[in-house]
Amino acid sequence: MSKNLILFRNGNLLDPLASDLQGTHDVLVEGGVIREISSTPIKVTGAQEIDVKGKTIMPGLIDLHVHVLATQLNLSTQGVLPDALVMMRSVPIIQAMLQRGFTTVRDAGGAGWGLKCAINEGTINGPRLFISGRAISQTGGHGDPRPRSDHLRPMSFCGCCFRAGDIGRVADGVDEVRKAVRQELQMGADQIKIMASGGVASPTDPIASWGYSEEEITAMVQEATARQTYVMAHSYTAEAIARAIKLGVRTIEHGNLIDAPTARLMHEHGAFVIPTLITYEALSLEGEKYGLPADSIAKIADVSSAGLSSLEIYRQAGVKIGYGSDLLGPSQRLQSEEFRIRSEVMPLPEVIRSATTTAAEVLNMQGKLGRLEVGAFADVLIVEGNPMRDVNCLLGQGDHIPLVMKEGQIFVNRL
């Protein structure tokens, strides 16, 4: 029996591009990729056979907005923690994501090349990581954690001076932001994250603030484009979103305060949006308990109430919607609850596409991630029930996902 040859038999195939399950199929995995999919029994010798009759077989999930190093909810104090402590605390966060069926995640600030290597070499178990390095922020922006009383500690660092707990970095001016982007790319970033408006978890920036100047955003987009990658931008208001899109930003993170004209602009530019609605629910319910500053708690209502309405605006404009969670600290356990919130206004097949095929498109990994097809990475979930009709199949801590495979390796097996 070949350890590299695994045959799933009799699974109800979930194709994210369809509106319901596709009937019973066999799926053959070899060497970490999908070798064959058939609605008739596959004949092969030497394979490990796993009968999944009555269960759903589907592609691994993709979360496009996580912070695997956000080990506590109050990020303004995390930067002073010992590096080793932050890294050790991040390990169970990363492992739990895989348990929930997320075989790929895009980190939106904090995770570096070393952590990606640790996962790739099997030192720790976790999802495939697409990293942004440190998110780049202007002074007083969403990535500047200093309280208003702190006007002494410099926030402009050379590329080697960061601590593991730093989710972001501060850079101002065209030359400095160009250098910041180049440093993050040199240190292994897959894409660049910038702050294009104010935010909730940061202490001194109003939600409606613009963030960077047009010249600074243009410079960062140019540098990312020169390295054949793209910029993702934290942004809330329609005005801030429109500025970022016109300047070449590819994905808008959060985007709660969108309007119809700006959504149409996004569609015209082929931009994506990554809503993160569960984080506002978590911050509202648990923020004070876990140490979120009062200034941040006061800003939650400004963006949370518009979350569900924004989904309808994006859908009507034809903007492609990816899946994101953006959870911090103890709230990371709520990652799958984004499915529940979105299902209130979106059909479940659309919600699943946001975490599979659309997410793969954001990552430029069509044909490799997000769908079970010949030649794709063998990221396979076995699910109890029909996720196309019952969102509960995907909720919790992988309670209804007894098997998780990433690139041909089984990490969870409760069958």
Side-chain angles (χ1 to χ4, degrees):
M1 181 183 297
S2 172
K3 292 183 179 180
N4 294 323
L5 201 59
I6 299 175
L7 177 60
F8 294 100
R9 287 206 181 276
N10 307 311
N12 296 313
L13 181 67
L14 187 154
D15 182 351
L17 299 182
S19 58
D20 207 347
L21 299 183
Q22 299 300 289
T24 302
H25 282 68
D26 285 4
V27 176
L28 181 63
V29 172
E30 182 177 24
V33 300
I34 305 294
R35 173 174 157 183
E36 185 177 353
I37 301 175
S38 177
S39 59
T40 59
I42 294 175
K43 297 180 180 179
V44 65
T45 58
Q48 175 189 353
E49 295 194 13
I50 302 176
D51 193 337
V52 292
K53 184 177 181 180
K55 298 179 176 61
T56 296
I57 184 167
M58 68 176 290
L61 301 170
I62 303 169
D63 190 332
L64 292 170
H65 195 118
V66 303
H67 293 284
V68 297
L69 289 185
T71 63
Q72 59 188 52
L73 205 143
N74 186 355
L75 295 179
S76 64
T77 59
Q78 178 168 296
V80 300
L81 296 177
D83 290 355
L85 178 60
V86 173
M87 296 302 293
M88 292 301 291
R89 285 179 175 178
S90 73
V91 171
I93 290 173
I94 293 166
Q95 293 173 332
M97 290 180 176
L98 194 59
Q99 294 274 340
R100 297 182 201 107
F102 289 92
T103 54
T104 302
V105 298
R106 184 181 66 161
D107 191 89
W113 181 74
L115 189 57
K116 184 174 179 176
C117 289
I119 292 174
N120 289 346
E121 70 182 18
T123 299
I124 61 174
N125 294 336
R128 182 181 297 102
L129 263 180
F130 287 78
I131 61 173
S132 306
R134 274 78 180 182
I136 304 173
S137 168
Q138 70 282 4
T139 293
H142 186 54
D144 185 345
R146 296 173 299 174
R148 296 188 188 279
S149 58
D150 186 347
H151 56 86
L152 297 176
R153 183 163 60 96
M155 290 294 294
S156 180
F157 302 101
C158 69
C160 60
C161 294
F162 294 109
R163 302 177 63 88
D166 292 327
I167 301 300
R169 61 184 293 177
V170 170
D172 296 297
V174 170
D175 289 343
E176 196 171 321
V177 298
R178 281 191 187 277
K179 184 175 182 179
V181 171
R182 291 172 180 174
Q183 286 178 337
E184 295 304 331
L185 292 170
Q186 184 274 330
M187 291 187 287
D190 295 298
Q191 65 281 321
I192 295 298
K193 165 78 175 296
I194 72 170
M195 304 307 185
S197 83
V200 172
S202 42
T204 63
D205 56 330
I207 293 293
S209 61
W210 278 5
Y212 277 115
S213 70
E214 293 186 6
E215 293 78 11
E216 289 168 318
I217 294 175
T218 298
M220 290 187 282
V221 169
Q222 287 175 344
E223 292 297 329
T225 303
R227 287 285 290 265
Q228 290 77 55
T229 188
Y230 65 92
V231 170
M232 54 190 289
H234 164 104
S235 191
Y236 278 109
T237 66
E239 190 173 23
I241 292 169
R243 291 177 77 243
I245 294 302
K246 290 175 182 177
L247 297 172
V249 166
R250 184 163 180 263
T251 76
I252 294 296
E253 311 301 306
H254 318 303
N256 296 45
L257 304 177
I258 193 73
D259 60 21
T262 305
R264 290 193 292 269
L265 177 71
M266 290 181 65
H267 177 65
E268 291 168 5
H269 283 254
F272 299 82
V273 65
I274 318 300
T276 58
L277 305 184
I278 183 57
T279 194
Y280 311 112
E281 182 175 296
L283 291 173
S284 177
L285 296 175
E286 303 180 350
E288 185 175 6
K289 174 182 177 182
Y290 291 118
L292 190 69
D295 287 345
S296 295
I297 292 173
K299 291 191 280 186
I300 295 171
D302 293 341
V303 295
S304 61
S305 60
L308 287 177
S309 299
S310 74
L311 295 182
E312 291 286 8
I313 295 172
Y314 288 119
R315 292 179 68 220
Q316 290 172 8
V319 177
K320 293 183 179 180
I321 303 173
Y323 187 99
S325 57
D326 191 32
L327 292 161
L328 311 173
S331 298
Q332 301 255 13
R333 73 188 190 283
L334 303 173
Q335 182 180 26
S336 300
E337 292 296 312
E338 183 77 12
F339 286 109
R340 171 184 57 81
I341 295 176
R342 294 190 186 195
S343 68
E344 295 178 22
V345 296
M346 295 173 64
L348 264 177
E350 284 188 30
V351 182
I352 290 172
R353 281 194 285 276
S354 73
T356 52
T357 51
T358 302
E361 189 176 351
V362 169
L363 299 173
N364 293 313
M365 294 294 288
Q366 304 96 311
K368 292 296 183 182
L369 298 176
R371 193 174 180 224
L372 299 181
E373 53 185 321
V374 174
F377 292 137
D379 288 11
V380 179
L381 307 182
I382 303 301
V383 181
E384 297 168 343
N386 181 356
M388 292 286 203
R389 298 187 178 184
D390 182 8
V391 71
N392 292 300
C393 298
L394 301 176
L395 303 187
Q397 307 308 308
D399 306 337
H400 301 287
I401 307 176
L403 187 142
V404 177
M405 169 185 280
K406 187 188 78 172
E407 210 160 326
Q409 182 178 350
I410 296 174
F411 288 89
V412 176
N413 190 356
R414 298 193 302 272
L415 292 175

